[in-house]
Amino acid sequence: MERIGMILGKFHARSRGFSSKHGILYNGAEKWSVEYKTDLAAIEKWELRHAGKNDQKYAALAEYLPFFKQAGITAKEHLISSPYFWKWKKEPLSSHFLCHGDFNNGNLLVCNQRIAIIDWEDVRYDFPSKDIARVLSLAMRKNEQWNEEWFSHILRGYLQENPLSIEQLHLLFIDLAFPHIIERFLRKKLYAQMNLAEIQQFCNREALKTAFMLDEMKAHVY
């Protein structure tokens, strides 16, 4: 996990300064405020649409949604009040990081101790939290649990190669605390292929991760 974090950190660090004439079309920073608003509205809409349904799956999801909605509201408040967020949005794209969009072991090729990253169709200018969230989500899915130690290893390795300021860490934890994964889970109806126990396990590990990120977000306020 630490080595994956180091590889990702090295990629992000080396991506600074990259300039593309098409960059304006792939500027993730411009979408954050709208994304937070629409994702919260989508979760609320899903909850209202399924309210009162006599189904154990929906009941299990409904039990966790108030927590995730409140987490999203809290994260959004921190985002809007973050001076660094508004400063970052205005910086030229060449000062932003490139984010891969699908960073995982399957997209790393190793030859003679050299590593190449492949599959760039989702690449864009954005913030490290997007790729870190992807790595963490895949690890949680594979191991079927939240593990604070794994995240610590990922972040430790990452920061060795791409140190972040306290302001940047605050923004990182804001985005990791926001329930992006839950919104996608509901929108894609991923619960339809899961049994009740799997849904409860998924929601529980996401809730534990979210609670941890909220604490870190508040600890890194500057």
Side-chain angles (χ1 to χ4, degrees):
M1 299 303 289
E2 192 162 327
R3 186 158 188 244
I4 287 291
M6 291 175 69
I7 296 168
L8 182 58
K10 185 175 290 188
F11 157 55
H12 284 168
R14 293 187 178 184
S15 74
R16 294 286 291 271
F18 176 79
S19 181
S20 167
K21 64 181 180 179
H22 304 293
I24 193 65
L25 301 174
Y26 302 94
N27 181 5
E30 289 296 330
K31 302 174 183 177
W32 277 43
S33 300
V34 173
E35 180 183 40
Y36 275 49
K37 181 179 179 180
T38 56
D39 280 5
L40 280 171
I43 293 173
E44 179 76 26
K45 186 176 180 180
W46 188 96
E47 185 179 37
L48 291 172
R49 189 188 312 129
H50 295 88
K53 281 194 175 182
N54 187 23
D55 185 289
Q56 287 185 315
K57 287 185 177 183
Y58 296 127
L61 286 165
E63 182 181 346
Y64 284 90
L65 288 187
F67 168 75
F68 287 120
K69 287 194 301 179
Q70 186 55 55
I73 291 169
T74 302
K76 182 183 174 184
E77 290 172 349
H78 275 252
L79 181 75
I80 300 304
S81 63
S82 167
Y84 177 78
F85 169 66
W86 298 105
K87 175 186 173 185
W88 168 64
K89 281 188 66 171
K90 295 177 181 177
E91 288 180 349
L93 288 177
S94 58
S95 296
H96 286 218
F97 299 102
L98 282 181
C99 285
H100 183 271
D102 189 21
F103 191 86
N104 64 81
N105 282 342
N107 286 330
L108 300 178
L109 299 182
V110 183
C111 181
N112 297 326
Q113 298 186 334
R114 298 188 66 187
I115 299 173
I117 305 173
I118 63 171
D119 189 7
W120 294 91
E121 65 177 301
D122 295 319
V123 70
R124 64 187 182 277
Y125 291 102
D126 218 316
F127 201 69
S129 54
K130 300 304 183 185
D131 281 340
I132 291 176
R134 175 66 172 162
V135 171
L136 187 57
S137 180
L138 290 173
M140 289 169 62
R141 186 191 309 173
K142 179 179 178 180
N143 294 280
E144 300 183 342
Q145 62 178 311
W146 155 252
N147 189 308
E148 181 180 332
E149 187 177 356
W150 297 338
F151 177 71
S152 296
H153 283 304
I154 294 171
L155 190 60
R156 185 186 306 118
Y158 183 89
L159 294 176
Q160 286 181 38
E161 298 293 338
N162 189 36
L164 300 177
S165 68
I166 188 70
E167 295 90 349
Q168 289 174 317
L169 283 171
H170 183 224
L171 186 57
L172 177 85
F173 288 117
I174 288 173
D175 202 39
L176 293 177
F178 190 86
H180 298 291
I181 300 294
I182 294 298
E183 187 280 328
R184 182 179 183 276
F185 183 76
L186 299 176
R187 173 168 44 87
K188 296 283 189 179
K189 299 181 179 179
L190 301 180
Y191 52 83
Q193 306 301 321
M194 300 167 69
N195 60 39
L196 180 60
E198 290 170 335
I199 291 173
Q200 290 172 327
Q201 184 183 59
F202 169 81
C203 289
N204 183 62
R205 67 178 184 248
E206 282 296 321
L208 291 172
K209 178 202 77 176
T210 300
F212 173 86
M213 298 303 174
L214 286 170
D215 287 343
E216 291 295 306
M217 177 188 75
K218 294 169 184 175
H220 286 82
V221 173
Y222 53 96

